[in-house]
Every structure is written in C-alpha cells, then in structure tokens.
Amino acid sequence: MEPIWLKSYQPGVPSTINPDAYPNLNALFAEAFAKYKELPALTNMDQVLTYAQVDAQAKDFAAFLQNTLQLPKGERVALMMPDIMQYPIAMLGILRAGCTVVNVNPLYTHDEFIVQLRDSQASTIVVLENFAHIVSDSIAETSIKHIIVAKISDVFPPHKAWLVDVVVRYIKRMVPAWKFDKFYWYKDAIAAGQQTVFKPVAIGSDDVAFLQYTGGTTGPPKGAMLTHRNMVANVLQASAWMSKLLVPRKEIIITALPLYHIFSLTANCLTFIYYGALNVLITDPRDKKTFLKQLKKHKFTAITGVNTLFNLLLNIPGFASVDFSHLKVALGGGMPVQKVVADRWQEVTKRPLLEAYGLSETSPAVCINPMNLKSYNGTVGLPVPSTDISIRDDHGAEVGLDVPGELFVRGPQVMRGYWRQEDETKLVLSADGWLNTGDIATINAGGFISIVDRKKDLIMVSGFKVYPNEVENVLSSMPGIKEVAVVAAPDEVAGEMVKAFIVSSDPSLDRDKVRAYCKLHLTGYKIPKVVEFRDSLPKSNVGKILRRALK
C-alpha cells in the first residue's frame, strides 16, 4: 500500500527512523543516564530516585545476577511486580546482564502462572512479597531455581521501612503466607551486587530483550520475542512522533497502567527514560484518594491509559480541580477509546484524549494520532515512522479506501516470532516480515486507520485480552456443566465483558457457583460477569457451537 498517511504527518515528524542508531537498549539507556544523571527519574509513595541512583542500583542488580546467581547471557528472568520502583530497576538490571525479561502479571492464578513459567523456562523470578504465595504454591511445577523477593518498604529509609512493613503485613494484611527453602531479599541482592565487579555483556540487536506473553492473534498465550532492535525502534518511533511536543529533561509522566503491560512498558518507561522525564508510578489506581493526591502534587505533562482508566479518573470526586495547565499528552491505547469518555475528558481537562493502536507483537506502537490533533477523531491515527501497513481481504488482495479488511503490519518494531512456537509464528508472520494482526480495519484518504472489529472472538476487558477457549476449557471441567460457550458482551466500564452461555445438567447450578469455580482458575478480568443458562446452544450442521449467533 502506498504510504498515503505521510501527507497527514505533523510538520517536522520524520517518515523514517534508524532502528540501528543504538546497538541495543543498554546503549540507549547508558546515553540517557549519562545525560540526565542529576534529574529525578522515578517517584513512588513520595520516595524519589535520581537517574544516577537508578543507574547504580540497576548495575548492582545486574552484577548480582551475573556473579552470585551466575546467570548466562539469554537466561529468562521473570518479573512479577506492580508499578513500584523495584520493577524498572530490576528490569534494567536484567537487560544489562544480557538476560531476557519475562513479564508476569502478579494477579495470575496458580494455573495461569504455571503455563507461562513452564513455557518461558525462566530460571529466576523477582516477585513482590504480596504475591510470593503464588510462586511458593507453584514453584515445584516450574523450572525456577532462584527467587528474589522485594518488599514495598525497600525504597523507604530504615526508620520508615519498619512502619511500612507493619502496616502492609499486619494491619492491612496484604501479604499472604509464603515459604521458600531458599531465596534472596531484593535489598540484599542489590547490596551483594555492590560488592562484586560487573562485567559488560556483548548484546546484539537481534538478542531477545523481552518475552511478552500474549494471546497473539490465535490460541493460548504465547511469548512474543521482542528483540533489542524491536524495542529501540519503537522507542525512537514514539519519540520522533512526539518530538515537536515533548522537551528532554522537562517532562513528568503519570504511570498508572501496569509496567508489565507492553503499552506502559514502552510508552511510559522506556520512551520517557529516553526523554529524561520523571516517572510518577501509581501502584494502585483503584486507591482513588491516593491517585488524586499524586495528580495534584505533580505538574504532569503526560498520561497514558486504557479507556477504563480515563473513565475512572473522570468519576473521582475532585478530579476536575486538578491543575491540567501543564498537560501536553493524554494517550489512550490497549482497547478502544470511547467517544463519550474522550469528549468528557476534553471538557474537564481542556486537552484532547488521543488514541493509539498497537500489539505485544509490535513492541507495541503501530499507529498514533498526531500530537497536534485538536479533538478525538474516532481513529487510531497514522502509522508511525518506518511502518508499512496493508489492509487485505480474505484472499490476500489489498482493499480500497474505507473498505474493511484484515490489517497487516511491517516494520522494525515487529517481533522476531513466538518463543518456541515456530508453527504459530508462521501463521501470523510472513517470510518478508508482514505481521497479520488479526484485526479488521479501514484506512481513509488521509491515511488514518480505524479498527472496525477484532477477528474471530477475542474479548478485550480493560485492554487485556481474553480468549473464549481458555474460559470455556475451565468451565467445561466444572461438574454439572454440559455445554458452554463464551462471548464478548458490551460493558460501560471495561468496554467489553465476558459472558458465558451454559447448558447445565445440575438444577442447583447458579451464577455464583460458576463464578466461584472460575475464581480458582482464572484472573479476575477473565471471569464471566454474566452467566446465562439455556436448554441448548445454537450449532452448525457439523455440531460446532455458533458463538456469532449468541453474540
């Protein structure tokens, strides 16, 4: 497809970037830490670390992995933490040691944790103690050999750390019981690293930086292999896109999306390190009072989120009194931004809520709306620099303007493939680098992309992917369920919710029992919010349940 979108680029935004400007992410970080060493880099719970402090601690953590644990280059290290300062420090240390980061959702159940840890073959995990019980209950079924446990109090001075520990463990009871035969405290790991000499590791641009687990475009979770070149490219693409708006050393970004989510990881963490920004980490966005306090405390210039996060903010009492005079960028992604939310956001903040589009498989940015857009336009924007798109029909032929078709993407940000799943990779990634996104889209005369629908039956709950097969497999194992089908249903808060249609052989079975069973095996957002019992389910002439008819 001809790059008709280039004519709609904001003046001064380049059509291409050089993905080989840095040999790896570590080189990009080294430049940033040298330039911004005196500036504040991270703040969380009113504690602050400078770029120099983050750099030093990341190097110490890398030395610990290299010397104490003796992890070889390419070893997978799992990170299982919410948005706290230990996450970016550990992440930077893992990459510096030449290892691969495996992001793990700390809300995973035992079953989900086992699937990802087994597949990734991670030998080491860094986990916040609040979630250590999940690891301790499951470790025997994984390849984990080394455990590093962080505490919320790690970032506080000693006199305050003791009080935080008491509150977290004994008053709020936020730490379920856990036990390991052997483990390292995060602070001890940093201290041990200080006593050893870190030896720089030769890292190639095609080495895997992140295993980012996703449902992909088909089937169960798979690890998208995102190389150092992929991630450098997407950081440079995003920074080029915002270069006429953002100023190095001057930005403050609010990070409320979890950093283990690819949108937040690249957009908030990596790109804003490149800009020398202060990253305000919001550990629990559901704590509205604390969230609002942080928004009022900082003269923030950027915020990202999914539609549900922006909707949550708009409904916090007192949100309209926040000072938005410094806000430059409000960027929505991970799920469709609803017009009613975007319009209300602009009414309250006097700034537009811009929409972007991406995938775990694309590091993630594919399209972003121009930064000089004055209001929400209902599209996901234009392909970012060095990105090609093609919209094709079922026969592989490109369709015309405003005609729905399957969206294909090619660019330096497209993954190397799925980890240990060559056949699955071939289903979505061609030999000449085209990624089949599995999404149905249109392109207009200005080159703006609109996502029409998702191929097949993918359900998006607050930006997180839910595959019906996974939920159906859990439900079908429940005694009393004869047949089941799971589909997406609209939800005013989450965009979509999971709805289950059940044919039961047990008259006593009800919604509460079904949901209670699911809670044992599924993360919260995957649990059916609505359960409908039926005498039968619609089927095709070969006996296949017709989800489309149920939707």
Side-chain angles (χ1 to χ4, degrees):
M1 179 174 284
E2 289 296 316
I4 60 174
W5 48 87
L6 295 180
K7 63 186 178 184
S8 297
Y9 269 27
Q10 185 175 349
V13 173
S15 61
T16 61
I17 54 94
N18 178 13
D20 300 307
Y22 299 91
N24 51 54
L25 274 173
N26 293 336
L28 183 150
F29 295 143
E31 179 183 274
F33 285 123
K35 283 168 39 176
Y36 309 128
K37 56 185 177 182
E38 80 285 359
L39 296 178
L42 302 171
T43 183
N44 180 234
M45 302 179 192
D46 296 327
Q47 303 301 304
V48 180
L49 290 176
T50 66
Y51 274 85
Q53 289 172 317
V54 171
D55 185 34
Q57 291 185 32
K59 183 178 180 180
D60 292 337
F61 193 75
F64 169 79
L65 298 178
Q66 187 181 73
N67 297 311
T68 303
L69 301 190
Q70 297 188 328
L71 300 188
K73 175 184 173 182
E75 192 79 356
R76 273 78 56 206
V77 180
L79 276 182
M80 193 173 180
M81 290 187 282
D83 288 356
I84 55 177
M85 291 197 282
Q86 296 93 316
Y87 174 94
I89 291 169
M91 180 266 292
L92 291 165
I94 293 165
L95 294 175
R96 187 173 289 189
C99 298
T100 297
V101 176
V102 181
N103 279 313
V104 180
N105 185 341
L107 299 179
Y108 272 167
T109 63
H110 169 90
D111 294 1
E112 293 163 319
F113 177 83
I114 291 297
V115 168
Q116 183 169 333
L117 269 290
R118 279 181 175 173
D119 186 75
S120 68
Q121 299 176 319
S123 68
T124 305
I125 188 166
V126 189
V127 60
L128 182 66
E129 67 170 346
N130 303 49
F131 309 101
H133 64 287
I134 298 171
V135 181
S136 66
D137 291 345
S138 313
I139 193 168
E141 301 174 64
T142 73
S143 56
I144 293 292
K145 299 175 183 176
H146 310 293
I147 303 144
I148 303 153
V149 181
K151 297 190 291 184
I152 288 176
S153 63
D154 287 338
V155 299
F156 291 95
H159 67 279
K160 193 173 180 180
W162 175 85
L163 179 61
V164 171
D165 278 339
V166 170
V167 172
V168 169
R169 292 181 179 180
Y170 305 111
I171 298 177
K172 293 189 176 182
R173 299 186 181 277
M174 296 169 61
V175 183
W178 56 272
K179 182 180 179 181
F180 300 115
D181 291 335
K182 182 181 179 182
F183 72 95
Y184 300 89
W185 287 113
Y186 171 87
K187 288 189 72 173
D188 292 342
I190 297 290
Q194 288 178 325
Q195 306 304 314
T196 61
V197 177
F198 172 73
K199 304 175 188 67
V201 181
I203 300 170
S205 61
D206 203 39
D207 287 335
V208 179
F210 295 90
L211 272 189
Q212 195 69 25
Y213 274 78
T214 173
T217 56
T218 58
K222 297 174 285 291
M225 293 186 288
L226 302 179
T227 67
H228 281 262
R229 187 174 189 267
N230 291 153
M231 302 303 288
V232 166
N234 215 221
V235 168
L236 296 182
Q237 288 168 320
S239 62
W241 198 256
M242 298 184 289
S243 61
K244 300 304 170 185
L245 192 62
L246 301 186
V247 180
R249 309 173 70 94
K250 300 295 185 181
E251 309 301 336
I252 300 175
I253 185 164
I254 301 295
T255 297
L257 281 183
L259 288 168
Y260 57 79
H261 193 290
I262 189 64
F263 179 23
S264 184
L265 172 65
T266 303
N268 291 51
C269 187
L270 306 187
T271 301
F272 278 83
I273 285 176
Y274 186 70
Y275 269 100
L278 171 62
N279 212 312
V280 182
L281 301 178
I282 309 297
T283 304
D284 184 6
R286 295 168 298 180
D287 182 351
K288 299 176 184 179
K289 184 178 179 181
T290 301
F291 197 170
L292 185 63
K293 178 184 175 182
Q294 291 300 311
L295 291 175
K296 289 186 174 182
K297 179 178 180 179
H298 299 282
K299 296 178 180 179
F300 61 98
T301 61
I303 183 171
T304 66
V306 294
N307 185 80
T308 47
L309 177 68
F310 291 112
N311 193 39
L312 177 147
L313 288 171
L314 289 166
N315 286 287
I316 294 178
F319 177 70
S321 65
V322 171
D323 179 6
F324 300 106
S325 63
H326 301 274
L327 181 60
K328 301 176 183 179
V329 180
L331 193 64
M335 65 180 292
V337 172
Q338 296 172 339
K339 185 178 186 302
V340 65
V341 173
D343 289 347
R344 192 174 169 211
W345 176 269
Q346 186 154 359
E347 179 185 347
V348 172
T349 69
K350 311 306 180 197
R351 303 291 188 276
L353 175 52
L354 305 180
E355 189 167 4
Y357 166 78
L359 305 161
S360 295
E361 291 87 344
T362 56
S363 308
V366 173
C367 301
I368 310 175
N369 266 292
M371 294 290 105
N372 59 352
L373 203 67
K374 299 302 181 184
S375 61
Y376 172 80
N377 65 4
T379 79
V380 295
L382 308 167
V384 294
S386 294
T387 301
D388 294 319
I389 67 103
S390 177
I391 299 180
R392 306 174 185 178
D393 63 20
D394 291 340
H395 303 289
E398 285 193 339
V399 300
L401 297 178
D402 301 311
V403 177
E406 200 157 359
L407 179 62
F408 287 72
V409 177
R410 184 170 63 181
Q413 73 271 47
V414 173
M415 68 172 182
R416 197 170 91 184
Y418 291 126
W419 169 254
R420 301 198 309 147
Q421 297 202 41
E422 189 173 335
D423 290 342
E424 290 290 337
T425 299
K426 289 178 180 177
L427 289 176
V428 300
L429 191 60
S430 68
D432 57 352
W434 284 103
L435 176 74
N436 180 349
T437 68
D439 287 323
I440 305 302
T442 61
I443 185 170
N444 66 20
F448 285 82
I449 308 295
S450 296
I451 303 300
V452 178
D453 202 350
R454 301 175 188 90
K455 192 177 182 183
K456 300 184 179 178
D457 299 305
L458 177 67
I459 305 170
M460 294 292 284
V461 180
S462 295
F464 290 93
K465 295 178 180 179
V466 180
Y467 274 88
N469 277 341
E470 182 183 10
V471 184
E472 288 173 1
N473 287 339
V474 169
L475 287 171
S476 64
S477 68
M478 182 178 183
I481 292 183
K482 188 176 179 181
E483 289 183 340
V484 61
V486 169
V487 302
D491 186 288
E492 291 184 359
V493 176
E496 288 182 345
M497 62 180 170
V498 180
K499 182 174 182 178
F501 293 87
I502 291 173
V503 177
S504 173
S505 59
D506 180 358
S508 69
L509 200 61
D510 59 19
R511 174 183 179 274
D512 290 342
K513 291 180 180 178
V514 169
R515 284 176 52 81
Y517 184 84
C518 288
K519 285 180 181 179
L520 299 175
H521 305 282
L522 296 168
T523 300
Y525 63 83
K526 297 179 183 179
I527 297 170
K529 194 171 183 179
V530 176
V531 178
E532 183 174 326
F533 291 89
R534 291 194 171 190
D535 294 329
S536 63
L537 299 178
K539 299 181 179 68
S540 69
N541 56 1
V542 294
K544 183 178 179 180
I545 295 175
L546 299 174
R547 289 180 182 150
R548 184 175 299 176
L550 291 169
K551 291 178 74 174

